[in-house]
Amino acid sequence: MKRRSEPPKPPETVRDEIIGLGSRSLRKNYFGALQKHVADLARFRELLDVAADAIVVVEVSGYRVVDANRAGRELLAPSTEPPDGRPLPSFFAPPVWKRLERFILRPERGADPPIVRAGGRGGRVLEIASREHAFGPRRYLVLVARDVTERQRAARDLMHAKEEAERVARAKSEFLSIASHELRTPITSLQLRLQQARRASEGGAPPVEKLLGPVQRLAAILDELIDVSRLERGDMRLSPARVDLRPLVADVVDDFRSRFAQHRLDLADGPPALALADSARAAQVVAQFLENAVKFTPPGSAIEVRVWSGRRFARVAVADHGPGIPASERERLFTPFARLPGTRTIAGLGLGLYVSRQIARMHGGDIVASDTPGGGATLTVSLPVSAAE
């Protein structure tokens, strides 16, 4: 039986059947796999876009950008222009590209990724690495830029904290050395005096007056340590009252005259200077001024003390004629355990002026150091005037 001839098929149908893209073969053999590949590509693209690192793909032949993920577009090329086809240098500021060019276009074997500043107000620190890959006959350059700004800031903060901890450790070590020496000296002297007193007790009363000096020095050192501890804990308390600073200062000066006869202490005359202050703490500050002046003033030189009152503050100034204090070192004078150059052999823990300034500031006043006319240093404490005055 003769078969009936079928009409010719359209050229498109013939083509699709030859390459296997006819409606049946597409549905059976390709469509599922194609959908899976498209889904995989979309998922991979989404992963690239949520990555924090900037990723830029460049065709090596012309160094033009093929693609960039979201971080690459925002971190490296914050313009609205699509990245596809753009020259690679346009992704960077000219100074940044100049530094990167030799690493990207002419990489050195074994070279570490360069660290550069790019983008953002104030600059962001980016760590940029590059590597070439071949896909068939074409070669591509993949750039990966990581924002390490916070990491470097944290590293700097850690370094500063380390340096500060080392500084505190050195200060504590120096303090322990000084404190042990300062405490050992009066204790040794006291032991010697007590031994002498024991030997002399058979022939009469022990020389008690010779024991007072080492004991007073030991008590002063312990008082300074206690004051610093109270200041650090916030436990120091004041009892301010209306007080005339002139007789208070005169009493302290008389005490120093009896103890240091080799120095000439001059207290200038003047009217009353009424202040609102804790009298015991104010006397402590004046005594610290005189202690410093006695240490640094040659025997026979004058130490001048002045007391006066202004509109807001009553002031006490103690001027010596010693070596003076360089202007660059004056603020350091009021820090704990401060030992200025050339004063290592001078007795003291370096706490007295620190405690004194804190006392003055708790009153609402302050302490400043200045030059003495003719040479030397002057320390001045200001305390608020009494409300009655």
Side-chain angles (χ1 to χ4, degrees):
M1 181 176 177
K2 189 176 180 181
R3 297 180 61 184
R4 186 172 55 182
S5 61
E6 297 179 358
K9 298 179 180 179
E12 292 81 2
T13 304
V14 175
R15 180 198 62 193
D16 291 345
E17 288 181 351
I18 292 174
I19 64 175
L21 292 179
S23 59
R24 294 177 60 191
S25 62
L26 177 64
R27 184 169 56 253
K28 289 183 177 181
N29 301 330
Y30 295 97
F31 188 70
L34 184 60
Q35 277 190 319
K36 183 178 184 302
H37 287 317
V38 171
D40 289 343
L41 288 174
R43 184 164 53 253
F44 180 68
R45 179 68 199 205
E46 185 176 352
L47 288 174
L48 288 180
D49 278 340
V50 299
D53 294 344
I55 302 173
V56 180
V57 181
V58 183
E59 191 173 5
V60 173
S61 60
Y63 284 101
R64 290 189 172 273
V65 175
V66 175
D67 201 357
N69 70 342
R70 182 178 299 143
R73 296 190 299 272
E74 293 176 354
L75 191 60
L76 296 179
S79 69
T80 57
E81 182 183 350
D84 301 6
R86 285 177 55 183
L88 179 60
S90 68
F91 266 59
F92 304 95
V96 178
W97 173 250
K98 186 176 181 181
R99 295 172 58 193
L100 277 177
E101 185 178 11
R102 65 187 184 93
F103 290 99
I104 294 177
L105 302 187
R106 292 179 293 278
E108 301 176 8
R109 291 187 178 273
D112 293 330
I115 303 293
V116 297
R117 288 194 173 275
R121 181 177 298 176
R124 306 294 295 174
V125 181
L126 303 179
E127 187 178 76
I128 303 178
S130 64
R131 179 173 293 182
E132 283 193 18
H133 296 272
F135 295 95
R138 295 188 178 184
R139 298 189 65 80
Y140 297 90
L141 183 70
V142 179
L143 299 180
V144 179
R146 176 165 296 174
D147 188 343
V148 295
T149 308
E150 297 304 321
R151 189 176 76 189
Q152 289 208 351
R153 183 179 293 116
R156 285 196 302 270
D157 293 343
L158 183 62
M159 180 61 67
H160 292 160
K162 178 175 176 290
E163 292 173 352
E164 180 64 17
E166 291 174 348
R167 186 193 68 78
V168 171
R170 287 194 301 269
K172 287 185 177 179
S173 177
E174 186 175 2
F175 161 71
L176 291 175
S177 175
I178 296 171
S180 61
H181 173 75
E182 290 294 323
L183 291 172
R184 172 57 56 188
T185 300
I187 289 174
T188 302
S189 178
L190 185 58
Q191 287 175 335
L192 292 174
R193 298 295 186 187
L194 288 173
Q195 291 170 359
Q196 293 174 358
R198 185 176 59 184
R199 289 194 297 267
S201 61
E202 298 176 358
V208 176
E209 69 281 355
K210 293 184 179 180
L211 303 179
L212 290 177
V215 172
Q216 288 172 342
R217 183 177 174 192
L218 185 59
I221 293 171
L222 293 176
D223 286 342
E224 283 186 350
L225 294 175
I226 292 171
D227 282 342
V228 170
S229 177
R230 285 174 176 169
L231 286 169
E232 289 184 348
R233 297 196 311 267
D235 288 344
M236 182 174 283
R237 298 290 182 265
L238 301 179
S239 300
R242 187 168 180 261
V243 57
D244 186 353
L245 293 181
R246 185 165 296 281
L248 181 147
V249 172
D251 288 343
V252 179
V253 170
D254 287 341
D255 176 59
F256 270 77
R257 281 173 179 161
S258 64
R259 291 165 50 198
F260 302 98
Q262 71 274 25
H263 290 87
R264 192 174 81 248
L265 279 72
D266 298 333
L267 175 58
D269 293 331
L274 300 178
L276 187 64
D278 184 314
S279 58
R281 291 298 183 180
Q284 177 183 342
V285 172
V286 176
Q288 182 61 51
F289 285 7
L290 291 173
E291 189 80 36
N292 272 56
V294 166
K295 287 178 183 178
F296 295 102
T297 300
S301 299
I303 298 174
E304 293 104 9
V305 184
R306 293 176 55 228
V307 184
W308 74 99
S309 183
R311 186 173 62 88
R312 295 179 56 204
F313 294 100
R315 292 180 171 85
V316 180
V318 176
D320 65 47
H321 294 279
I325 305 169
S328 59
E329 299 287 346
R330 287 174 189 166
E331 279 305 305
R332 197 161 72 88
L333 191 68
F334 301 100
T335 57
F337 317 119
R339 307 287 291 183
L340 300 186
T343 66
R344 297 287 177 178
T345 59
I346 304 298
L349 297 178
L351 293 172
L353 289 179
Y354 163 72
V355 173
S356 296
R357 173 175 266 189
Q358 298 309 308
I359 290 173
R361 289 182 172 177
M362 288 176 68
H363 280 87
D366 205 352
I367 294 177
V368 295
S370 58
D371 291 328
T372 299
T378 298
L379 294 173
T380 304
V381 58
S382 57
L383 299 171
V385 298
S386 169
E389 186 177 6

